[in-house]
Amino acid sequence: MTVSITRRALLGHGAALALVIGAAPRAMAQDLATSRALVDRLVAEVNAVIASGAAENAMIGQFAQIFQAYADAPTIARYSLGADARAATPDQLARYTQAFSNYVARKYGSRFREFIGGDIVVEDARAVPNGVEVQTTAVFVNEAPFRVDFWVSTATGSPKFFNIIIEGVNMLLSERTEVQAMLDQRGGDLERLIADLSRM
Amino acid sequence: MNRLLQVFVLSLLAACSAAPPKGGINDPYEGLNRRVHALNKAVDQAVLRPLGRTASGAPDGSLQPVVNFSNNAGLPGTVVNNLLQGNIDGAARNTLRFVVNTTVGVLGLADPAGAIGLREVETDFGATLAVWGVPEGAYLELPGFGPSTERDAAGRVVDFVIDPLDRLDGVAESVRELSFPAKVAEQVVERGQFGSTFDEILYDSADSYAQARLIYLQNRRYELGEAPSAADEDYYFNPYEDQQ
């Protein structure tokens, strides 16, 4: 009796395991394809804005919209807060996400001028422990081509990128370092940080 | 190499033997490093930044010959490192580049080699040490040079000492004599060229020391092929894990 239960349990486990093993590569291949497709669309939009020759301010606005559409802003914002995110109320987190998104759009938006005349090419996608890494090369005027990677996750249900790595430099870690320093300067007061970020 | 430099380089290398936490930051000299950072920042604000601004105001491309000259004068040292790393192809490319630009490119002022696709295979003795398996060592901020590590600081000293340019008799004297001032001028031109990036890190961030350290270490590891592998779960941290 016990033996047969064990056998059935084992068989059940075996079946479950087979299911997992059989499904995993398929899910992974699908993730790779959807992640790469996301970055393909993102890059096509960025390249179109660069090529449009619009005024700088208009471009910054367009880049901010692209960021909103393709990036997982709540996750990026939450990560930048580090351990303090756990102590924050949902309302604080929502307001912080908004303030942080504005800050990011302004900080990076002012740099997009350097993109004019440039082009980004999607090269490859590979599975990494936290999602999919889509590798691209940015070719800008007067600069040697450089590598830009996007980390894409489907954890929220729809594919979004949650990190950009430029020549090895990780934006998420960089912003976490920055936000921690800003919090320290304000004695850990999240409300003051939100107010200051909104004004920046 | 004189005795004092030998002792200095060896002590830096000995210090490297303690491997840093993987992918992390190893900064036991943070207090001293922060004081050096403050000094570097003050010098940048008073001297380098204003000079860079002036340089970036020059007509487009008019300062490129200075940068070309400086890069060219550095090539013999790069070739030595290519060879020490067993990179014969890189050594051959850089040698050919040096010959073409020093002759056809008029002492290296022009870059005809680059125009035909013969680009520099950049490296230095810090990279050579990495290839030889020397660990990165502690983070250091060097006066005047900025972010570095024990391994890269030792590399800088060795690069300075082994530079074969002075012993290349066939090369015009002006190339040898002007290589140092050209190097300084190159720093100024680059400070102007990448002005907004430098300004953002040094003057717009809440903790410019921490930003410079993070950016230097990550970018240097990437350059040296020491970036984490695709299976590294510490590097590929999951920001969705603690979300409910």
Side-chain angles (χ1 to χ4, degrees), chain A residues 63-124:
Chain A
F63 283 124
Q65 276 171 17
I66 295 174
F67 184 79
Q68 292 291 340
Y70 290 92
D72 185 355
T75 297
I76 296 171
R78 188 190 164 89
Y79 183 81
S80 72
L81 271 184
D84 293 277
R86 261 172 242 134
T89 66
D91 168 62
Q92 274 181 319
L93 269 183
R95 284 184 294 118
Y96 172 72
T97 299
Q98 186 58 46
F100 179 82
S101 299
N102 290 342
Y103 149 79
V104 166
R106 232 169 331 220
K107 176 173 176 178
Y108 293 89
S110 62
R111 305 293 307 281
F112 284 126
R113 183 176 4 149
E114 295 159 30
F115 289 17
I116 296 169
D119 193 23
I120 303 171
V121 185
V122 180
E123 307 276 5
D124 200 10

Side-chain angles (χ1 to χ4, degrees), chain A residues 27-46:
Chain A
M28 212 167 260
Q30 203 179 19
D31 273 2
L32 280 180
T34 46
S35 300
R36 191 187 166 123
L38 176 88
V39 177
D40 275 333
R41 288 199 305 276
L42 162 72
V43 163
E45 285 201 29
V46 169

Side-chain angles (χ1 to χ4, degrees), chain B residues 44-194:
Chain B
D44 179 79
Q45 199 160 14
V47 185
L48 199 53
R49 191 189 196 200
L51 284 177
R53 283 236 173 104
T54 310
S56 67
D60 264 0
S62 62
L63 293 170
Q64 196 55 40
V66 179
V67 175
N68 290 342
F69 182 89
S70 169
N71 285 339
N72 189 61
L75 279 171
T78 311
V79 170
V80 171
N81 282 304
N82 292 138
L83 291 173
L84 290 173
Q85 293 165 27
N87 184 355
I88 307 298
D89 179 63
R93 277 171 177 275
N94 286 338
T95 302
L96 193 56
R97 198 180 142 79
F98 182 70
V99 170
V100 169
N101 281 356
T102 306
T103 54
V104 184
V106 197
L107 307 175
L109 290 167
D111 181 14
I116 58 167
L118 199 57
R119 300 199 185 281
E120 181 178 353
V121 182
E122 284 180 59
T123 194
D124 52 61
F125 197 75
T128 299
L129 289 172
V131 169
W132 289 355
V134 176
E136 183 182 271
Y139 178 74
L140 293 178
E141 180 148 345
L142 304 175
F145 295 103
S148 190
T149 60
E150 284 172 331
R151 184 176 64 193
D152 286 335
R156 272 187 183 276
V157 177
V158 174
D159 274 327
F160 179 74
V161 175
I162 64 172
D163 191 350
L165 186 67
D166 285 336
R167 295 184 282 277
L168 292 176
D169 292 329
V171 178
E173 217 164 288
S174 51
V175 172
R176 287 182 265 163
E177 281 172 1
L178 291 174
S179 74
F180 181 71
K183 186 101 204 139
V184 175
E186 185 193 2
Q187 302 303 313
V188 171
V189 173
E190 287 185 347
R191 177 65 179 88
Q193 208 173 355
F194 304 110

Side-chain angles (χ1 to χ4, degrees), chain A residues 48-198:
Chain A
V49 173
I50 296 172
S52 73
E56 193 181 323
N57 268 337
M59 271 198 197
I60 292 175
Q62 283 166 313
F63 283 124
Q65 276 171 17
I66 295 174
F67 184 79
Q68 292 291 340
Y70 290 92
D72 185 355
T75 297
I76 296 171
R78 188 190 164 89
Y79 183 81
S80 72
L81 271 184
D84 293 277
R86 261 172 242 134
T89 66
D91 168 62
Q92 274 181 319
L93 269 183
R95 284 184 294 118
Y96 172 72
T97 299
Q98 186 58 46
F100 179 82
S101 299
N102 290 342
Y103 149 79
V104 166
R106 232 169 331 220
K107 176 173 176 178
Y108 293 89
S110 62
R111 305 293 307 281
F112 284 126
R113 183 176 4 149
E114 295 159 30
F115 289 17
I116 296 169
D119 193 23
I120 303 171
V121 185
V122 180
E123 307 276 5
D124 200 10
R126 62 173 184 172
V128 289
N130 57 3
V132 174
E133 181 178 82
V134 183
Q135 301 168 353
T136 74
T137 300
V139 188
F140 292 160
V141 186
N142 295 328
E143 269 179 70
F146 58 93
R147 168 120 161 243
V148 180
D149 296 343
F150 293 86
W151 288 2
V152 180
S153 174
T154 49
T156 57
S158 61
K160 298 259 184 183
F161 79 83
F162 62 93
N163 202 359
I164 303 176
I165 293 93
I166 301 172
E167 293 272 298
V169 179
N170 185 314
M171 174 202 161
L172 217 48
L173 286 182
S174 191
E175 287 312 325
R176 166 126 101 175
T177 303
E178 181 67 4
V179 168
Q180 295 303 311
M182 287 195 273
L183 264 175
D184 283 348
Q185 284 174 350
R186 289 161 183 81
D189 187 343
L190 182 55
E191 284 301 331
R192 265 180 68 197
L193 179 66
I194 293 171
D196 289 347
L197 278 183
S198 308

Side-chain angles (χ1 to χ4, degrees), chain B residues 33-48:
Chain B
N33 281 341
R34 280 191 182 270
R35 285 203 290 279
V36 175
H37 181 74
L39 172 78
N40 284 343
K41 218 167 138 171
V43 171
D44 179 79
Q45 199 160 14
V47 185
L48 199 53

